[in-house]
């Protein structure tokens, strides 16, 4: 998803956007300029449609943020809940969770980027942070279970471990850019290998 | 460093701030509200001194940002340059670099937090990003050397490896909070162990 040049004329005569494409453009703008720094005016200019055409789809900027963050949270929550509730050794479920988290993050890169930049300034943001904390809690429980099974190094506590793992995974939003020839599965393999076995060739 | 309640009265009659304590408060505010979202007016209110008292020390908000980001960059640059230029196996120097980066980050937490949130909207920010890229380049060269020595897993490319490692390290600014009883060296040990050997007890 690349930004249209700002000199591009309004798309007069084109059929209107549907909610999905409107959301995609809104998320891109929020990521570029910050949520607080983006007005509905900016969005209408970027889309080349009137503000009332936007309000036909959503009642407010907050609602766009809610839809966007819930998109990311719904998927991440499904992945974490599955890893938490299925059977099998916790270490294997943790490995699967790490791998899936990377592919989901890449698949929904703009949405997860927006989610991870939220600081809790509004009720919508605070609701998103509450859902994030619930997901973090599921992950920490899984790490704790793997530690109790004796499958993790005993010298690192589970809360620190899960924060460091997801710090590594979430850093992808800062530097990963989709390119032809790069395969999300290869990145997911790299992250999973480093997380489980480290970088050292031993 | 905690924020004073906003209802706190101006510190009338107190001796003025020196540049160092002014900088500390500015960095705290920038991190709380964003650099763009903080005015010199906000800063003067927080400090309880007039804006002209601030301008006695620094000519502009940009200059405060420049001083703050350079504080973090000078230290990180010294650590990376040392690791890059000293003798000994690259893998050992990389291990030392990871450990030192964590302790430096914790020691200068507000300054590194500010640095890592910069997006390049102003000349000062772009200069900081250029210095960051130079440091990243030194790290990637060190990882490349360790890979050429055969000390890293051959299946992960050096650029991805260094981004993931520093993604994990830099995530500390999002979740690490200094507390009595937590020792920066223990966190640095945990990060270094996970980076080199992974979380799995093998």
């Amino acid at each position: 998803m690349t930004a249209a040049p700002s000199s591009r004329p309004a798309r007069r005569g084109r059929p209107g956007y549907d909610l999905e494409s409107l959301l995609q453009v809104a998320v891109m703008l929020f990521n570029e300029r910050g949520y607080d720094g983006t007005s509905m005016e900016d969005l209408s200019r970027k889309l080349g449609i009137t503000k009332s055409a936007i309000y036909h789809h959503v009642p407010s900027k907050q609602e766009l943020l809610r839809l966007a963050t819930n998109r990311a949270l719904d998927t991440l929550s499904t992945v974490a809940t599955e890893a938490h509730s299925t059977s099998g050794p916790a270490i294997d479920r943790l490995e699967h969770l790490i791998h899936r988290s990377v592919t989901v993050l890449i698949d929904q890169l703009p949405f997860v980027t927006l989610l991870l930049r939220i600081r809790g300034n509004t009720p919508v943001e605070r609701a998103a942070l509450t859902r994030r904390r619930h997901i973090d809690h599921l992950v920490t429980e899984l790490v704790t279970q793997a530690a109790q099974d004796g499958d993790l190094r005993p010298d690192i506590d589970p809360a620190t471990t899960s924060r460091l793992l997801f710090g590594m995974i979430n850093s992808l939003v800062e530097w990963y850019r989709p390119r032809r020839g790069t395969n999300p599965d290869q990145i997911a393999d790299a992250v999973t290998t480093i997380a489980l076995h480290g970088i050292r060739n031993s």
Side-chain angles (χ1 to χ4, degrees), chain A:
Chain A
M1 192 161 47
T2 51
S6 57
S7 62
R8 191 168 174 173
R11 311 184 191 193
R12 275 181 288 270
R14 283 194 51 171
Y17 288 80
D18 59 10
L19 177 59
E20 178 58 30
S21 50
L22 193 153
L23 190 60
Q24 301 261 355
V25 176
V27 168
M28 184 189 69
L29 268 190
F30 294 162
N31 285 334
E32 264 177 30
R33 308 181 187 185
Y35 173 73
D36 294 328
T38 307
S39 65
M40 288 298 251
E41 185 66 39
D42 296 330
L43 184 56
S44 100
R45 210 173 300 126
K46 175 67 97 181
L47 290 162
I49 60 176
T50 62
K51 279 202 279 182
S52 64
I54 299 176
Y55 288 122
H56 173 72
H57 291 289
V58 282
S60 63
K61 194 174 81 156
Q62 283 262 332
E63 179 63 10
L64 285 169
L65 183 66
R66 201 185 64 81
L67 290 169
T69 52
N70 275 347
R71 172 81 54 94
L73 284 162
D74 287 348
T75 319
L76 293 170
S77 175
T78 301
V79 170
T81 305
E82 273 173 16
H84 189 263
S85 60
T86 51
S87 59
I91 183 76
D92 295 344
R93 290 183 282 137
L94 181 60
E95 181 166 359
H96 182 71
L97 171 64
I98 293 166
H99 201 279
R100 276 291 290 149
S101 297
V102 174
T103 54
V104 160
L105 185 147
I106 291 176
D107 186 51
Q108 303 196 341
L109 195 62
F111 293 90
V112 181
T113 302
L114 183 65
L115 175 67
L116 294 177
R117 290 191 185 157
I118 274 179
R119 297 265 165 266
N121 298 327
T122 64
V124 166
E125 293 182 53
R126 284 191 286 278
L129 288 182
T130 301
R131 290 194 66 189
R132 263 196 78 185
R133 270 193 295 275
H134 179 67
I135 294 171
D136 290 348
H137 184 67
L138 292 178
V139 174
T140 303
E141 280 191 357
L142 191 59
V143 173
T144 304
Q145 186 58 56
Q148 283 169 358
D149 294 345
D151 287 325
L152 298 191
R153 294 182 186 281
D155 48 347
I156 303 169
D157 89 282
T160 302
T161 300
S162 54
R163 280 168 175 152
L164 289 171
L165 288 181
F166 278 79
M168 178 161 69
I169 293 168
N170 292 339
S171 77
L172 284 158
V173 306
E174 301 299 333
W175 59 267
Y176 179 80
R177 294 296 168 265
R179 271 188 230 105
R180 267 176 300 188
T182 61
N183 181 340
D185 262 338
Q186 288 175 337
I187 300 283
D189 289 348
V191 173
T192 309
T193 300
I194 292 179
L196 273 284
H197 307 288
I199 60 171
R200 188 158 199 151
N201 195 3
S202 50

